Structures are given as structure tokens and as C-alpha cells.
Amino acid sequence: MSRLRRREALWFYLFASPWVIGFVVFLLGPMIASIYFSLTDWDSFTPPKWVGLDNYVRLLTDDPVFWKALWNTFYYAAISVPLGLVLGLWLANLLNKGIRLRKLFRTLIYLPTLVPLVATAMIFKMVLAPSGPLNDLLGIFGIPGPSWLLEAVWVKPALILLSVWGAGAATVLLLAAMKGIPRELYEAAEVDGASPVRQFWSITVPQLTPIIFFNLIMGLIGAFQVFSQVYILTKGGPDNASQTMVPLLFNEAFSYYHLGYASAISWLLFAVILVFTLIAFRSARRWVFYETEVK
Amino acid sequence: MATAVSTAAATRQVRSTERTVGAKRSTPFSYATLIIVSAVLCVPLVFVVSIALSSDQTVNANTFTIIPREFHWENFTRVFGTELPMQRFLLNSVIISAGAVVGQVLSSGLVGYAFARLRAPGKNAMFIVVIATMMIPSQITMIPQFILFKDLGWVNTYLPLIVPNFFSNAFNVFLVRQFVSRLPSEIDEAAMVDGLGFFGIYRRIMLPMLSPVLIAIAIFTLTATWGDFMGPLIYLNDESKMPLALGVQYITSTSQALQAPPWNLVMVGSILLTLPMILVYYLGQRYLYEMDISGGSAGVK
């Protein structure tokens, strides 16, 4: 290697050192420690006690709350993510028509996503109250509204409702992508006599699949890690009906000081996210359309 | 570049003069739907304002209405008085967010530039690791990091929420790298011929050009730390250190069992939490869209 090349490499390592140090100190080191903790029984006050795979075995075979939390997390992700995408797509399509005041509508739809989660949770605490506006609205139609956050059956739909309120984030991305679809495609379809509905399904949706896929992955990862809403609104109750993986992990770690057990939960969470991401990527080959492949 | 812009403008002009084709036609039905959807989405926001303007009597009687009936604007000054430490919360939020933003901007720019331009053995392997780390949920490192910061004596200080940002974040490094990759490398070469060293090139040539992407990173970091709840919840238990996001929730969870939380003041807090985000979005959307990372996937496929 020439002297100049060596000097350049040295500068690279120097410039990249913040990332390297951060990677070792805040990621790699903690990851290794976390694997070790997950194999111990540890309360942070006395030395860790090696228990092998006991934590994992107990979680998977002997902890009904863990299974409930896992199920609730799936339930939440399986409904909130597709629902948010469908609504986002529908709204983007509406906004994409030659509509007046488009900027105003786009802003109004996007506004809720700018509200920080903590504030969102505070707002929905009031909106979902037994005598809150949502139940008032249902009352107009003669439907007696439930006490959303206090009933085991309704608490998950309530959290999903809260997540759907932020569908505007997907809308903006999808709208931006829609504007990039070549107009000629629609013109050609028009000439062939395709109806607007047919055009939506045969042109708009396939052209948007990459961005839909991106939203799906990010949405799934986010949904599996839902925390603040649950923690603030229900603390996982009633009867663990809204308990999800991360609040459970948080409680085990910082309320009960079961640091080993909590570490095991974090690895199972990682496994779940990994499996779903891989499934999504696998299936993507069948339905995600990349223009570069055709060129 | 200039031709591309003018072509785009020309196409846009052609498009706007064209008669809209079928799929793009709007109907009264579309307007009705949009009006209803926007109204439904904005009702909670109106409700928040209504609660924030309510009197204490209304709070105690729990007789809020969606459309504000009373206008107790003094609630907005009350939270800065002695009643609640909202002032302190707000200041803490500013300190933590500013620290985080400075850290990310300084470190991500440098690291991203290095990955885009400088040649070194092992660089590509390192970049694969950078990308791979994006997949790891933060919960994995949550407990060991807590132990680390506890051993350092940093619990109940701002440091655990600020310091990690000085070591750059994989996504931001990726953004900067993509951005730099699309700048012509002749710029650096010319600067080098003129006798600038690598740091000089970064500092004098690159940094000014990176401003759109660095502003975007600043916005992402600001929105993430400003609204962050879990981090402060783990590390801060002293009321005087809490940022607004934690403080607002803290007020509701610590009120006496028999007494309702001061919902009007809590909602003032929520509004204070939200307004900067709206402002940041309003001022920054130009940069978020300008950044355009979609077309810059060259080299990562």
C-alpha cells in the first residue's frame, strides 16, 4: 500500500471511530452482556447466578403472562399495521385526485402524526373515557359505548384505534410515491377503457408495492415494540388483556429487577421480529414490483 | 442538474394544462370523504384545546366538551408559575434534545463521509455491519446499557440520554453516505490538489454541502428525543430532571387517588409538547423532501 493510501485509511478509521466506539460500547458489548444475563438469575444487587436456558424454558412453557403478551402483540400488529396501510393508501388515492385544497387536507391528515406519543396517549385517555367524545358519538347512533380501556375485550381495539389515528404518516409517503407514477400508464389504460377502479388495482397498487413493503416492514417492527401507549394508558391491564412484549420486558426489568429473565424476553422479542421480517422479505419476491427488474 | 430541473418544470406545466384523465378526476364524493376524515382526525386535537382552556371546576366535575365553551387562557401561564414544574420540564427537554441533535449531526456527518469517500481495508465489511445493526431492536441493549450507566454513576443525569448520540446512529450514517455518494468526486480531488487534507476537505468543502441531509438528521433526532418517553422513564426519577414528555405523564400518575389529575394543565403540557413538533415540521419539510433518499440506493443493492 502506498503512503498516500495508508494515510487515507488512517483518516478513514479516525473519522469512523465514533461509530466503531459506539458500536463496541453501546451495541456489541451490551449484546454479549445481554446474552450472558439471559442465562442467569440476576436482580442487579447480588452477583448473577448461572441458570443456563432456564429463563427461556420458563418463558416458553411456564409463563402464561408471556404467552398472553405475545398473543396480544401479534393481535395488535396483525390488525393495526394492515389497517393503517389500507387507510393510508385509500387517503393517498383520494388526495391524489385533482383535488382543490389538497395541501390543506394533507396537512389535516398528517397533523395527528406530529403529536408526540405521550401526548397522544394523554389525548386518548380522555377521548376513550367512558363519558368521552367517542362514546358520545356512538350514543348519537344509539350504541352504548364500552369503557374502552377498562374492558378486556375492548382494550386492544382501543389501542389499535389510537395507532390508526397516525395513518397520515403512511399517507404522505404513499402520496409522494403516487406522484412519481408515470402518467402515460394511466393514459394508456384510459385508452384501453380501464375503469378508475381497475386503474387503481392494476397500475397504482403495483407501482406502489416497494413503498407499501417498506411501510409494512417498518410498521411491523414498530408494532412489535409498542410501549408508551400501553404503559401510559393501561399498564397492560385489565387482566393483562393489553400486555405486550416491551411493557412486559420493562416491568420485569425495572419494576421487579428480574434482569436475567427480562434479558431473555428481549432476545425472544428479537427472534419474533427477525422471523416476521424474514417472512415479509421472502413473500416480497412474489408481490413487490421493482422497476429496475424490468428495465 | 439545471436541465433536469427545467425539464421537470416543463413536464409539470404540460401536465397541469392537460385535461385530467379518469383515475385522477375528483368527485363531490371525494370531497365529502376527505372532509369527514379530516374532521374525525382533528376532533381529538380540538378536544385537547378545549380541555386545556377549561376551568378547574370543569376538570373536577369532568364536564368537558369537544368544542371549547370557556377560555381560561391563564392556564397557559399558570403552568409556568409555581403550580407545576412545567418550566423545568421544558428546559430539561431543550437541554436533552439539543445535546442529542448536536451529537448526531457532528458524528453522523463525519462517519457517513468516511464511508462514502475514504478508502480503507475492511471498509465494506464494516458498512455491512452498520446496515445490520439497524435490525437490532433497542430493547436488547436496554438492560446492559442501564447497568453500564448505573456503574458510571450517570443514572438521574442527562448523560445517558445525550452521550450515546455522539457515536452516530446507523440510519444517519447511511443517509449521509447516500448523499455524499451522489456528489461528484472531482470536488474532493480538486480540493486535494489545492492542498487540503482529508479533514480540511470534510470541514471546508463537504460540511457546507451536507447541510440539507444534516438538517434532516437534526429534525429526525429532535423529534425522536423530544417525544422520547422510555429513555427518560428508565434513567430519570428526579422530578427536576424530567423532560416534558415524561413530566406530563408523571403529573397524571402522581396525583392523589381521590383527586382528579389537573387535566387542563396536563393538556397545556401536551400542547407545549406538540407545538414545537408542528413548527419543526413546518419549517423543515422542505429539507425532508429535498433529501430524496429514494433515488440514492446506488451501491447498497
Side-chain angles (χ1 to χ4, degrees), chain B residues 154-187:
Chain B
W154 287 6
V155 169
N156 232 347
T157 70
Y158 306 128
L159 294 174
L161 304 171
I162 295 177
V163 171
N165 289 292
F166 279 81
F167 298 91
S168 75
N169 147 305
F171 180 68
N172 294 342
V173 169
F174 177 76
L175 279 185
V176 175
R177 178 187 176 270
Q178 294 309 92
F179 191 88
V180 176
S181 303
R182 280 186 295 154
L183 300 174
S185 57
E186 287 82 17
I187 305 172

CSV table of all heavy atoms in Angstrom, one decimal, chain B residues 154-187:
chain,number,residue,atom,x,y,z
B,154,TRP,N,-24.2,7.6,36.2
B,154,TRP,CA,-24.9,8.5,35.4
B,154,TRP,C,-26.4,8.5,35.5
B,154,TRP,O,-27.1,9.2,34.8
B,154,TRP,CB,-24.6,8.3,33.9
B,154,TRP,CG,-23.2,8.7,33.5
B,154,TRP,CD1,-22.2,9.2,34.4
B,154,TRP,CD2,-22.6,8.7,32.2
B,154,TRP,NE1,-21.1,9.5,33.7
B,154,TRP,CE2,-21.3,9.2,32.4
B,154,TRP,CE3,-23.0,8.4,31.0
B,154,TRP,CZ2,-20.4,9.3,31.3
B,154,TRP,CZ3,-22.2,8.5,29.9
B,154,TRP,CH2,-20.9,9.0,30.1
B,155,VAL,N,-27.0,7.5,36.3
B,155,VAL,CA,-28.4,7.5,36.4
B,155,VAL,C,-28.9,8.8,37.1
B,155,VAL,O,-28.2,9.3,38.0
B,155,VAL,CB,-28.8,6.2,37.2
B,155,VAL,CG1,-30.3,6.3,37.6
B,155,VAL,CG2,-28.6,5.0,36.4
B,156,ASN,N,-30.0,9.3,36.7
B,156,ASN,CA,-30.5,10.5,37.2
B,156,ASN,C,-29.7,11.7,36.7
B,156,ASN,O,-29.7,12.8,37.4
B,156,ASN,CB,-30.6,10.5,38.7
B,156,ASN,CG,-32.0,10.9,39.2
B,156,ASN,OD1,-32.8,11.5,38.4
B,156,ASN,ND2,-32.3,10.7,40.4
B,157,THR,N,-29.0,11.6,35.6
B,157,THR,CA,-28.4,12.7,34.9
B,157,THR,C,-28.9,12.7,33.5
B,157,THR,O,-29.4,11.7,33.0
B,157,THR,CB,-26.9,12.7,34.9
B,157,THR,OG1,-26.4,11.6,34.1
B,157,THR,CG2,-26.3,12.4,36.3
B,158,TYR,N,-28.6,13.8,32.7
B,158,TYR,CA,-29.0,13.8,31.3
B,158,TYR,C,-28.1,12.9,30.5
B,158,TYR,O,-28.4,12.6,29.3
B,158,TYR,CB,-28.9,15.2,30.8
B,158,TYR,CG,-29.7,16.3,31.5
B,158,TYR,CD1,-29.0,17.4,31.9
B,158,TYR,CD2,-31.0,16.1,31.8
B,158,TYR,CE1,-29.7,18.4,32.6
B,158,TYR,CE2,-31.7,17.1,32.5
B,158,TYR,CZ,-31.1,18.2,32.9
B,158,TYR,OH,-31.7,19.2,33.6
B,159,LEU,N,-26.9,12.6,31.0
B,159,LEU,CA,-25.9,11.9,30.2
B,159,LEU,C,-26.3,10.7,29.4
B,159,LEU,O,-26.0,10.6,28.2
B,159,LEU,CB,-24.6,11.7,31.0
B,159,LEU,CG,-23.9,12.9,31.5
B,159,LEU,CD1,-22.8,12.6,32.5
B,159,LEU,CD2,-23.4,13.8,30.4
B,160,PRO,N,-27.0,9.7,30.1
B,160,PRO,CA,-27.4,8.5,29.3
B,160,PRO,C,-28.3,8.8,28.1
B,160,PRO,O,-28.3,8.1,27.1
B,160,PRO,CB,-28.2,7.7,30.3
B,160,PRO,CG,-27.8,8.2,31.6
B,160,PRO,CD,-27.5,9.6,31.4
B,161,LEU,N,-29.0,10.0,28.1
B,161,LEU,CA,-29.8,10.3,27.0
B,161,LEU,C,-29.1,11.2,25.9
B,161,LEU,O,-29.6,11.3,24.8
B,161,LEU,CB,-31.1,11.1,27.5
B,161,LEU,CG,-31.9,10.4,28.6
B,161,LEU,CD1,-32.9,11.3,29.2
B,161,LEU,CD2,-32.5,9.2,28.0
B,162,ILE,N,-28.0,11.7,26.3
B,162,ILE,CA,-27.3,12.6,25.3
B,162,ILE,C,-26.0,11.9,24.8
B,162,ILE,O,-25.9,11.8,23.5
B,162,ILE,CB,-26.8,13.9,26.0
B,162,ILE,CG1,-28.1,14.7,26.4
B,162,ILE,CG2,-25.9,14.7,25.1
B,162,ILE,CD1,-27.7,16.0,27.2
B,163,VAL,N,-25.2,11.4,25.6
B,163,VAL,CA,-23.9,10.9,25.2
B,163,VAL,C,-23.9,9.8,24.1
B,163,VAL,O,-23.1,10.0,23.1
B,163,VAL,CB,-23.1,10.3,26.4
B,163,VAL,CG1,-21.8,9.6,26.0
B,163,VAL,CG2,-22.8,11.5,27.4
B,164,PRO,N,-24.8,8.8,24.1
B,164,PRO,CA,-24.8,7.8,23.0
B,164,PRO,C,-24.9,8.5,21.6
B,164,PRO,O,-24.5,7.9,20.6
B,164,PRO,CB,-25.9,6.9,23.3
B,164,PRO,CG,-26.1,7.0,24.8
B,164,PRO,CD,-25.7,8.4,25.2
B,165,ASN,N,-25.6,9.6,21.6
B,165,ASN,CA,-25.8,10.3,20.3
B,165,ASN,C,-24.5,10.8,19.6
B,165,ASN,O,-24.4,11.0,18.5
B,165,ASN,CB,-26.7,11.5,20.4
B,165,ASN,CG,-28.1,11.0,20.7
B,165,ASN,OD1,-28.8,10.4,19.8
B,165,ASN,ND2,-28.6,11.2,21.9
B,166,PHE,N,-23.4,10.9,20.5
B,166,PHE,CA,-22.2,11.4,19.9
B,166,PHE,C,-21.4,10.3,19.2
B,166,PHE,O,-20.3,10.5,18.7
B,166,PHE,CB,-21.3,12.0,21.0
B,166,PHE,CG,-21.7,13.4,21.3
B,166,PHE,CD1,-22.7,13.7,22.2
B,166,PHE,CD2,-21.0,14.5,20.8
B,166,PHE,CE1,-23.1,15.0,22.4
B,166,PHE,CE2,-21.3,15.8,21.0
B,166,PHE,CZ,-22.4,16.0,21.9
B,167,PHE,N,-22.0,9.1,19.2
B,167,PHE,CA,-21.3,8.0,18.5
B,167,PHE,C,-22.1,7.5,17.2
B,167,PHE,O,-22.0,6.4,16.8
B,167,PHE,CB,-21.2,6.8,19.5
B,167,PHE,CG,-20.3,7.2,20.6
B,167,PHE,CD1,-20.8,7.8,21.8
B,167,PHE,CD2,-18.9,7.1,20.5
B,167,PHE,CE1,-20.0,8.2,22.8
B,167,PHE,CE2,-18.1,7.5,21.6
B,167,PHE,CZ,-18.6,8.1,22.7
B,168,SER,N,-22.9,8.4,16.7
B,168,SER,CA,-23.6,8.3,15.4
B,168,SER,C,-24.5,7.1,15.4
B,168,SER,O,-24.4,6.1,16.2
B,168,SER,CB,-22.7,8.2,14.2
B,168,SER,OG,-22.0,6.9,14.2
B,169,ASN,N,-25.5,7.2,14.6
B,169,ASN,CA,-26.6,6.2,14.5
B,169,ASN,C,-26.6,5.6,13.1
B,169,ASN,O,-26.3,6.3,12.1
B,169,ASN,CB,-27.9,6.9,14.9
B,169,ASN,CG,-29.1,6.4,14.3
B,169,ASN,OD1,-29.2,6.3,13.0
B,169,ASN,ND2,-30.1,6.0,15.1
B,170,ALA,N,-26.7,4.3,13.0
B,170,ALA,CA,-26.5,3.6,11.7
B,170,ALA,C,-27.4,4.2,10.6
B,170,ALA,O,-26.9,4.4,9.5
B,170,ALA,CB,-26.9,2.1,11.9
B,171,PHE,N,-28.6,4.5,10.9
B,171,PHE,CA,-29.5,5.1,9.9
B,171,PHE,C,-29.0,6.4,9.3
B,171,PHE,O,-29.0,6.7,8.1
B,171,PHE,CB,-30.9,5.2,10.4
B,171,PHE,CG,-31.9,5.8,9.4
B,171,PHE,CD1,-32.3,5.0,8.3
B,171,PHE,CD2,-32.4,7.0,9.6
B,171,PHE,CE1,-33.2,5.5,7.4
B,171,PHE,CE2,-33.3,7.5,8.6
B,171,PHE,CZ,-33.7,6.8,7.5
B,172,ASN,N,-28.5,7.2,10.3
B,172,ASN,CA,-28.0,8.6,9.9
B,172,ASN,C,-26.7,8.4,9.1
B,172,ASN,O,-26.5,9.2,8.1
B,172,ASN,CB,-27.8,9.4,11.1
B,172,ASN,CG,-29.1,9.8,11.8
B,172,ASN,OD1,-30.1,9.7,11.2
B,172,ASN,ND2,-29.0,10.2,13.1
B,173,VAL,N,-25.9,7.5,9.5
B,173,VAL,CA,-24.6,7.2,8.7
B,173,VAL,C,-25.0,6.9,7.3
B,173,VAL,O,-24.4,7.4,6.3
B,173,VAL,CB,-23.8,6.1,9.4
B,173,VAL,CG1,-22.7,5.7,8.5
B,173,VAL,CG2,-23.2,6.6,10.7
B,174,PHE,N,-26.0,6.0,7.2
B,174,PHE,CA,-26.4,5.5,5.9
B,174,PHE,C,-26.9,6.7,5.0
B,174,PHE,O,-26.6,6.9,3.9
B,174,PHE,CB,-27.6,4.5,6.1
B,174,PHE,CG,-28.2,4.0,4.9
B,174,PHE,CD1,-27.6,3.1,4.1
B,174,PHE,CD2,-29.5,4.4,4.5
B,174,PHE,CE1,-28.1,2.6,2.9
B,174,PHE,CE2,-30.1,4.0,3.3
B,174,PHE,CZ,-29.4,3.1,2.5
B,175,LEU,N,-27.7,7.6,5.7
B,175,LEU,CA,-28.3,8.8,5.0
B,175,LEU,C,-27.2,9.6,4.4
B,175,LEU,O,-27.2,10.0,3.2
B,175,LEU,CB,-29.1,9.6,5.9
B,175,LEU,CG,-30.5,9.2,6.2
B,175,LEU,CD1,-31.2,10.3,7.0
B,175,LEU,CD2,-31.3,9.0,4.9
B,176,VAL,N,-26.2,9.9,5.3
B,176,VAL,CA,-25.1,10.8,4.8
B,176,VAL,C,-24.3,10.1,3.7
B,176,VAL,O,-23.9,10.8,2.7
B,176,VAL,CB,-24.2,11.2,6.0
B,176,VAL,CG1,-23.0,11.9,5.6
B,176,VAL,CG2,-24.9,11.9,7.1
B,177,ARG,N,-24.0,8.8,3.9
B,177,ARG,CA,-23.3,8.1,2.9
B,177,ARG,C,-24.0,8.2,1.5
B,177,ARG,O,-23.3,8.5,0.5
B,177,ARG,CB,-23.1,6.7,3.3
B,177,ARG,CG,-22.3,5.9,2.3
B,177,ARG,CD,-22.3,4.4,2.6
B,177,ARG,NE,-21.6,3.6,1.6
B,177,ARG,CZ,-22.3,3.0,0.6
B,177,ARG,NH1,-23.6,3.2,0.5
B,177,ARG,NH2,-21.7,2.3,-0.2
B,178,GLN,N,-25.3,8.0,1.5
B,178,GLN,CA,-26.0,8.0,0.3
B,178,GLN,C,-25.9,9.4,-0.4
B,178,GLN,O,-25.7,9.5,-1.6
B,178,GLN,CB,-27.5,7.7,0.5
B,178,GLN,CG,-27.8,6.3,1.0
B,178,GLN,CD,-27.2,5.3,0.1
B,178,GLN,OE1,-26.1,4.8,0.4
B,178,GLN,NE2,-27.8,4.9,-1.0
B,179,PHE,N,-26.0,10.4,0.5
B,179,PHE,CA,-26.0,11.8,0.0
B,179,PHE,C,-24.6,12.1,-0.6
B,179,PHE,O,-24.5,12.6,-1.7
B,179,PHE,CB,-26.3,12.7,1.2
B,179,PHE,CG,-26.5,14.1,0.7
B,179,PHE,CD1,-27.8,14.5,0.4
B,179,PHE,CD2,-25.5,15.1,0.7
B,179,PHE,CE1,-28.1,15.8,0.0
B,179,PHE,CE2,-25.7,16.4,0.3
B,179,PHE,CZ,-27.0,16.8,-0.1
B,180,VAL,N,-23.5,11.7,0.1
B,180,VAL,CA,-22.2,12.0,-0.4
B,180,VAL,C,-21.9,11.3,-1.7
B,180,VAL,O,-21.3,11.8,-2.6
B,180,VAL,CB,-21.1,11.7,0.7
B,180,VAL,CG1,-19.7,12.0,0.2
B,180,VAL,CG2,-21.4,12.6,1.9
B,181,SER,N,-22.4,10.0,-1.7
B,181,SER,CA,-22.1,9.2,-2.9
B,181,SER,C,-22.6,9.8,-4.2
B,181,SER,O,-22.0,9.6,-5.3
B,181,SER,CB,-22.8,7.8,-2.8
B,181,SER,OG,-22.4,7.2,-1.6
B,182,ARG,N,-23.6,10.7,-4.1
B,182,ARG,CA,-24.1,11.3,-5.3
B,182,ARG,C,-23.5,12.6,-5.7
B,182,ARG,O,-23.8,13.2,-6.7
B,182,ARG,CB,-25.6,11.4,-5.2
B,182,ARG,CG,-26.3,10.1,-5.5
B,182,ARG,CD,-27.8,10.2,-5.5
B,182,ARG,NE,-28.3,10.6,-4.2
B,182,ARG,CZ,-29.4,11.3,-4.0
B,182,ARG,NH1,-30.1,11.7,-5.0
B,182,ARG,NH2,-29.8,11.5,-2.8
B,183,LEU,N,-22.6,13.1,-4.8
B,183,LEU,CA,-21.8,14.3,-5.1
B,183,LEU,C,-20.6,13.9,-6.0
B,183,LEU,O,-20.0,12.9,-5.7
B,183,LEU,CB,-21.3,15.0,-3.9
B,183,LEU,CG,-22.4,15.4,-2.9
B,183,LEU,CD1,-21.7,16.0,-1.6
B,183,LEU,CD2,-23.3,16.5,-3.5
B,184,PRO,N,-20.3,14.7,-7.0
B,184,PRO,CA,-19.2,14.3,-7.9
B,184,PRO,C,-17.9,14.3,-7.1
B,184,PRO,O,-17.6,15.2,-6.3
B,184,PRO,CB,-19.2,15.4,-8.9
B,184,PRO,CG,-20.0,16.5,-8.4
B,184,PRO,CD,-21.0,15.9,-7.5
B,185,SER,N,-17.0,13.2,-7.3
B,185,SER,CA,-15.8,13.1,-6.5
B,185,SER,C,-14.7,14.1,-7.0
B,185,SER,O,-13.7,14.2,-6.4
B,185,SER,CB,-15.3,11.7,-6.6
B,185,SER,OG,-15.1,11.3,-7.9
B,186,GLU,N,-15.0,14.7,-8.2
B,186,GLU,CA,-14.0,15.7,-8.6
B,186,GLU,C,-13.8,16.8,-7.6
B,186,GLU,O,-12.7,17.4,-7.5
B,186,GLU,CB,-14.4,16.3,-10.0
B,186,GLU,CG,-14.3,15.4,-11.2
B,186,GLU,CD,-15.5,14.4,-11.3
B,186,GLU,OE1,-16.5,14.7,-10.7
B,186,GLU,OE2,-15.3,13.4,-12.0
B,187,ILE,N,-14.9,17.1,-6.9
B,187,ILE,CA,-14.8,18.2,-5.9
B,187,ILE,C,-13.7,17.9,-4.9
B,187,ILE,O,-12.8,18.7,-4.7
B,187,ILE,CB,-16.1,18.3,-5.1
B,187,ILE,CG1,-17.3,18.5,-6.1
B,187,ILE,CG2,-16.0,19.5,-4.1
B,187,ILE,CD1,-18.6,18.4,-5.4
